[in-house]
Amino acid sequence: MMPSNDEYFISPDRAAERDDGAPGGAASIGGASPTLARWYRASARNNCDRTRHLNAISEAIASARPGEFSRDSLAPAIDGSDNIDAARADDARPTMQSRVTAASADFPPPAPRLALQDDGRATARPREFLTVRRLSRTPWARAAALVVFAAGGIALLARGHREPTIPPTAPTRDVGFALRLPDATVRNVSLAGDFNGWDASTLPMVRDPADGTWRVRIPLAPGRHTYSYVIDGTRWVIDPLAPRTVEGALGPTNVIAVMGDT
Amino acid sequence: MSDSELIARALAGDRAGQDALVERYYDDCWRYAYRLLGDKADAEDAVQETFMRAMLALPQYREHQRFRAWLFTILVNQCRNLAIARSRRARRFLGLPAIGTDGSLGSVAPESLPDDELAAALETLDPLHREAVLLRFGEGLGYADMARLTGASESALKMRVKRGCERLRALLGPSVTP
């Protein structure tokens, strides 16, 4: 009988049992070899120059320019809040994370679930589907719905089936992308996303020598767009601090929602 | 000294407190980065960048969070960036590692230690699958914790672990002793 994955790649607590000499029913890899958990937990110190690296880290933190990481710019990575509004308000300030800016790149506020009455009491907002359901209990409403449904079907048959189309003249919005890269050895950065077929060559970004930020501004149609940055034509990176990432076919990408005219 | 005390010292600009905090979690971060990336230079980059960002973002840290989990959120993102960038390069320029007709790794010498086989097999996994397998079986995390760390859903993570395990079993199966 095949062992389960948990048995095959023994979890750390079970690996500890085996260390104590308890007869294990779980599988091990290669007999004398420990499991994945034990392999993982084996010291990796032999593979690193710990003292030198710790010193390098300490120096790197100490030499980071004041203001290079602003409180607002790092917040989204920590608390998962949306960084787009902050980026809109502060496009000029250098940050480590990439920032997407657009006059309309924010999200509509959620509809309040409670309504405040004149006397100060909060009451639950009626839910629309309940109203529809009450209406549907009346015979005349059912009959009217049937007539409308039948008329719609006949109209569709008369016109033939058509795929819904997005008007070709849908207004676009200018959206600014900014990626701060302190690394001065980077030669070029480009933007690639679903809006340009993930082509790393069509949207080069321009470096601002004043603060090392790479920028590009492009028109985008309303909707949801996914994108990544391409460094020196080979390194595909996402903004590691941006909370809005989605899983794409080739890995995670950043995502932005562009709102249309309302 | 507790994490909270070290964090308070680091926030007050005490470099010794900051260094102590880094040193306390260095080994954990190094182990994950090195096991995931399998490359010393990449692991060094990931760990250094993680601590740099964490220390400079320290004012955003909230006491109710576990510092290690907070730190690992940043580390996982850094490693993921590097792993995916490297994977794309490999796909573009090198192709996938050779796999023998018997399912073994063609590049692994017969006298290789089993641990090396395991490392080599992990190296062939999709970066996201490798990440999920290591968090699950290396770090010993539950799926809820993994979801918080990676931002992926629990069902997606279970699928990644399943796929990763299937791949590892295919590569390592003959050497397994029940």
Side-chain angles (χ1 to χ4, degrees):
Chain A
M1 180 180 169
M2 285 288 285
S4 70
N5 285 335
D6 278 347
E7 290 169 332
Y8 193 92
F9 306 102
I10 299 170
S11 56
D13 51 337
R14 298 194 64 179
E17 290 172 14
R18 293 165 55 84
D19 284 340
D20 295 340
S28 64
I29 296 172
S33 172
T35 61
L36 190 148
R38 194 181 303 172
W39 164 84
Y40 180 86
R41 292 189 172 277
S43 173
R45 281 192 183 188
N46 292 340
N47 301 305
C48 75
D49 187 348
R50 190 171 186 272
T51 305
R52 178 194 59 77
H53 197 203
L54 280 170
N55 287 336
I57 291 170
S58 179
E59 289 298 324
I61 296 169
S63 61
R65 281 192 293 121
E68 186 169 10
F69 295 77
S70 68
R71 179 186 172 92
D72 288 344
S73 73
L74 287 162
I78 314 307
D79 60 17
S81 62
D82 191 350
N83 68 332
I84 291 180
D85 284 343
R88 278 180 53 220
D90 195 15
D91 189 30
R93 184 164 53 187
T95 63
M96 185 71 182
Q97 69 184 80
S98 70
R99 287 160 301 128
V100 180
T101 58
S104 60
D106 50 6
F107 296 86
R113 295 189 182 127
L114 294 175
L116 194 63
Q117 303 301 305
D118 292 339
D119 59 2
R121 285 183 300 112
T123 58
R125 193 163 50 86
R127 298 169 72 179
E128 290 174 7
F129 74 89
L130 287 177
T131 308
V132 173
R133 206 160 63 183
R134 284 193 200 101
L135 275 175
S136 67
R137 288 185 190 137
T138 59
W140 62 266
R142 286 181 191 162
L146 189 63
V147 169
V148 170
F149 182 77
I154 292 168
L156 274 177
L157 284 174
R159 291 180 59 194
H161 176 69
R162 290 181 188 172
E163 288 292 334
T165 56
I166 298 173
T169 56
T172 58
R173 296 277 181 160
D174 273 359
V175 180
F177 293 81
L179 176 69
R180 176 165 172 73
L181 282 178
D183 184 358
T185 63
V186 170
R187 293 187 303 276
N188 59 69
V189 178
S190 58
L191 178 68
D194 52 14
F195 36 79
N196 70 342
W198 297 97
D199 187 339
S201 62
T202 58
L203 290 173
M205 301 176 80
V206 178
R207 185 174 188 270
D208 181 348
D211 61 2
T213 300
W214 296 78
R215 290 188 172 89
V216 69
R217 182 170 282 273
I218 59 170
L220 283 181
R224 178 175 171 279
H225 301 281
T226 52
Y227 63 95
S228 293
Y229 299 103
V230 188
I231 297 175
D232 289 340
T234 56
R235 286 176 56 203
W236 291 70
V237 300
I238 60 168
D239 173 5
L241 294 179
R244 289 186 179 274
T245 59
V246 292
E247 299 296 335
L250 290 175
T253 62
N254 289 137
V255 62
I256 177 184
V258 178
M259 306 306 291
D261 289 326
T262 54
Chain B
M1 193 173 286
S2 70
D3 281 355
S4 299
E5 289 168 319
L6 288 178
I7 290 166
R9 285 179 59 183
L11 283 171
D14 178 359
R15 189 165 167 182
Q18 171 189 287
D19 289 350
L21 197 58
V22 171
E23 186 167 3
R24 176 171 294 180
Y25 289 101
Y26 177 84
D27 288 344
D28 285 357
C29 290
W30 171 263
R31 185 175 57 199
Y32 176 78
Y34 184 69
R35 294 306 191 201
L36 183 88
L37 299 168
D39 179 84
K40 184 178 172 182
D42 282 350
E44 283 189 352
D45 285 351
V47 171
Q48 181 162 329
E49 192 70 12
T50 296
F51 279 117
M52 204 161 124
R53 290 178 181 226
M55 289 303 118
L56 291 163
L58 210 49
Q60 309 307 305
Y61 170 69
R62 295 291 174 262
E63 286 278 339
H64 66 268
Q65 297 171 291
R66 283 167 51 216
F67 182 76
R68 188 176 185 277
W70 182 81
L71 187 64
F72 257 65
T73 307
I74 302 173
L75 177 68
V76 165
N77 272 330
Q78 289 297 324
C79 290
R80 181 183 286 190
N81 255 357
L82 281 168
I84 288 168
R86 198 175 57 186
S87 167
R88 281 185 168 130
R89 281 201 302 272
R91 275 202 290 265
R92 190 171 301 171
F93 300 116
L94 303 175
L96 290 168
I99 306 291
T101 52
D102 58 351
S104 63
L105 283 169
S107 58
V108 174
E111 63 272 20
S112 291
L113 293 172
D115 279 2
D116 291 340
E117 279 188 43
L118 184 54
L122 278 164
E123 186 72 17
T124 69
L125 296 186
D126 178 281
L128 293 177
H129 294 175
R130 188 162 66 240
E131 174 189 85
V133 167
L134 287 185
L135 288 174
R136 176 79 184 93
F137 298 109
E139 284 292 319
L141 297 181
Y143 286 104
D145 288 335
M146 289 167 64
R148 275 192 289 275
L149 270 183
T150 62
S153 68
E154 288 189 35
S155 59
L157 288 166
K158 285 176 183 172
M159 184 55 70
R160 287 177 197 170
V161 169
K162 180 173 178 290
R163 295 264 186 265
C165 289
E166 286 171 354
R167 172 81 171 159
L168 287 178
R169 279 172 185 257
L171 294 172
L172 301 168
S175 64
V176 169
T177 55

